[in-house]
Amino acid sequence: MTYFNLFSNILATKGPTRILISDLQRNVSELYPLELYEIMVELKSHSIEDLMKNYNEESREIVQEYINLLLEKEYGFISKNDWDRNFPPLSYEFHEPSTITNLFIELEEISVLHQLKISVENLGIKHLVIYSLKPLTAKEFIEIDEIFTASVLSGIEIFSPFHQEVDLSFVQVIQQNTVRIYSLIFYNCSQSPFKAKNDFRFSLNFIEDELQLSACGKVELKYFNTNISKVLESINHNSCLYKKIGIDRNGNIKNCPLMVESFGNIHTSNLDEATNLPGFKKYWDLTKDYIETCKDCEFRYVCTDCRAYTEGNKKNNAGLDISKPLKCGYNPYTGEWKNWTKNPLKKKIFNSLTIK
């Protein structure tokens, strides 16, 4: 007898019409027909020979082709006499010691960051994303980095309006005098001042669009992530809001700057206090398994969520919005993608939320 052993780093997620197989070691996901999922399930409890007995001759050829595919993709291996017991199943638990991992802020004045430094340390915040509302000078970029010298903060990503002083030497000065900045995005840039190659410690991008926060929350294939840490987070928690905190341009502390509900203001309270307020963590454990439509989707563990922009048509018993993300144009029941902006109802909802 021969037995098929699925590697523990392979995650198969079933949808209504097909399955997604994610290789969590190689950070790759691929779509396959739904019938492959049933075969994979049977291979967990039957030898290959016993499995073949359940099919006619024509179907056996198809089953064998699927087994060959699983082997070719290195999703597993074959053993003799019994399953190989030397490969224990992968734990899908997710552990993150920090109280808060990510801080997103709409920034008008750098002085606010000095005020936030103590909370960053207390909460163990590792990543800071800054959406600057005004053009930043090289000196200001350096100051932002220096504020968090000897800090628990490990990375800073900055979105800043492009201005005429930004050229190669401008970026080189930032490169030479900063440590934590890992990503720079200059938006509202009609033409790149130079070709951004891989010459810098950080990633560098020039975007023509006048970037708006309301552009956030799009669900598209290019944003999907098979990174094992993100997948495990998605299985256990909300993939967008878990251990995240945001500050909008008015200083309001929120789960996300685009959400309506606030938990104090940075000018009158601090982040530590906000995280302890009732309701701040209410969405943290709302996984895709409990969100309408998403719960059936094969992409649910590699996709991110958005609670700021939803279809707004469903709440659970706890009063949480469990509606499908508004900016998702995928229908898992048909396997078809459509442009969500072409849907009049979705567009109407988006416009009403933006006005708020």
Side-chain angles (χ1 to χ4, degrees):
M1 293 287 189
T2 55
Y3 297 82
F4 179 80
N5 301 263
L6 188 71
F7 285 126
S8 57
N9 60 292
I10 303 301
L11 174 67
T13 308
K14 183 181 179 183
T17 62
R18 51 189 181 173
I19 67 168
L20 186 76
I21 296 184
S22 300
D23 186 330
L24 302 181
Q25 183 173 343
R26 292 177 171 144
N27 296 349
V28 175
S29 292
E30 295 188 57
L31 290 164
Y32 295 99
L34 195 59
E35 59 187 0
L36 176 57
Y37 185 85
E38 306 304 328
I39 293 172
M40 292 173 69
V41 170
E42 291 185 87
L43 285 170
K44 290 181 178 180
S45 57
H46 296 80
S47 68
I48 294 175
E49 290 78 9
D50 286 340
L51 174 63
M52 291 298 188
K53 293 176 183 178
N54 298 327
Y55 296 91
N56 58 35
E57 186 173 347
E58 182 179 351
S59 297
R60 286 174 193 164
E61 292 183 9
I62 297 174
V63 172
Q64 187 60 56
E65 287 179 3
Y66 276 129
I67 293 175
N68 292 341
L69 172 67
L70 294 171
L71 294 171
E72 179 185 336
K73 290 291 184 177
E74 297 183 322
Y75 292 152
F77 64 97
I78 291 176
S79 59
K80 294 182 179 180
N81 301 322
D82 196 359
W83 286 279
D84 193 319
R85 309 296 180 181
N86 294 316
F87 293 86
L90 179 72
S91 171
Y92 288 142
E93 293 182 1
F94 180 79
H95 299 286
E96 172 50 60
S98 296
T99 304
I100 298 290
T101 58
N102 295 62
L103 166 62
F104 186 104
I105 179 171
E106 288 184 272
L107 189 68
E108 286 190 325
E109 298 297 333
I110 293 178
S111 58
V112 173
L113 297 179
H114 290 277
Q115 184 181 340
L116 293 173
K117 185 177 180 181
I118 294 177
S119 289
V120 167
E121 300 304 311
N122 292 341
L123 298 172
I125 297 175
K126 298 176 180 178
H127 303 286
L128 170 63
V129 180
I130 295 172
Y131 176 79
S132 179
L133 299 169
K134 67 172 187 177
L136 296 173
T137 65
K139 184 179 179 180
E140 288 174 319
F141 278 108
I142 295 169
E143 181 183 351
I144 290 171
D145 194 272
E146 289 179 343
I147 290 172
F148 299 100
T149 299
S151 168
V152 67
L153 188 75
S154 60
I156 304 173
E157 181 176 24
I158 303 176
F159 294 80
S160 173
F162 178 79
H163 55 92
Q164 293 305 313
E165 292 182 11
V166 178
D167 56 16
L168 180 58
S169 60
F170 181 98
V171 178
Q172 287 175 335
V173 168
I174 298 174
Q175 159 89 351
Q176 294 163 5
N177 294 278
T178 61
V179 176
R180 286 173 171 76
I181 295 176
Y182 68 89
S183 176
L184 282 182
I185 299 96
F186 291 98
Y187 62 91
N188 201 13
C189 175
S190 58
Q191 185 175 357
S192 300
F194 60 92
K195 287 189 176 181
K197 300 179 181 179
N198 297 324
D199 298 332
F200 304 103
R201 183 193 67 258
F202 42 73
S203 64
L204 176 65
N205 290 284
F206 297 98
I207 300 175
E208 185 176 353
D209 298 338
E210 185 175 351
L211 197 62
Q212 300 290 334
L213 280 190
S214 57
C216 189
K218 294 178 182 176
V219 176
E220 298 178 14
L221 284 169
K222 62 182 178 181
Y223 299 129
F224 289 177
N225 193 336
T226 312
N227 176 281
I228 186 170
S229 178
K230 293 303 296 180
V231 171
L232 294 183
E233 182 181 43
S234 296
I235 291 173
N236 292 277
H237 306 286
N238 187 272
S239 56
C240 182
L241 298 179
Y242 181 63
K243 296 202 172 187
K244 311 295 193 303
I245 195 166
I247 302 172
D248 69 14
R249 63 183 62 197
N250 298 314
N252 295 313
I253 304 170
K254 302 179 177 182
N255 293 127
C256 162
L258 292 170
M259 297 181 78
V260 176
E261 188 175 11
S262 65
F263 300 88
N265 189 286
I266 197 62
H267 301 299
T268 56
S269 59
N270 58 53
L271 301 184
D272 309 54
E273 294 169 342
T275 60
N276 290 316
L277 289 176
F280 181 81
K281 302 175 183 178
K282 63 185 178 183
Y283 279 106
W284 280 18
D285 294 329
L286 183 68
T287 71
K288 289 278 193 176
D289 290 324
Y290 297 99
I291 294 173
E292 290 299 297
T293 306
C294 299
K295 62 186 179 183
D296 298 323
C297 182
E298 63 270 23
F299 295 118
R300 60 188 177 272
Y301 300 134
V302 298
C303 176
T304 189
D305 187 38
C306 179
R307 293 297 90 197
Y309 295 121
T310 74
E311 294 183 353
N313 54 12
K314 186 76 172 181
K315 289 188 177 182
N316 65 10
N317 293 333
L320 300 184
D321 184 354
I322 57 171
S323 310
K324 177 184 176 182
L326 183 67
K327 297 183 182 181
C328 177
Y330 180 62
N331 184 341
Y333 308 108
T334 62
E336 296 177 330
W337 285 89
K338 292 183 179 179
N339 187 340
W340 72 271
T341 63
K342 303 298 182 182
N343 184 314
L345 181 58
K346 282 178 175 278
K347 194 66 177 177
K348 182 178 180 180
I349 296 172
F350 173 72
N351 290 335
S352 67
L353 291 171
T354 304
I355 291 172
K356 290 180 182 178

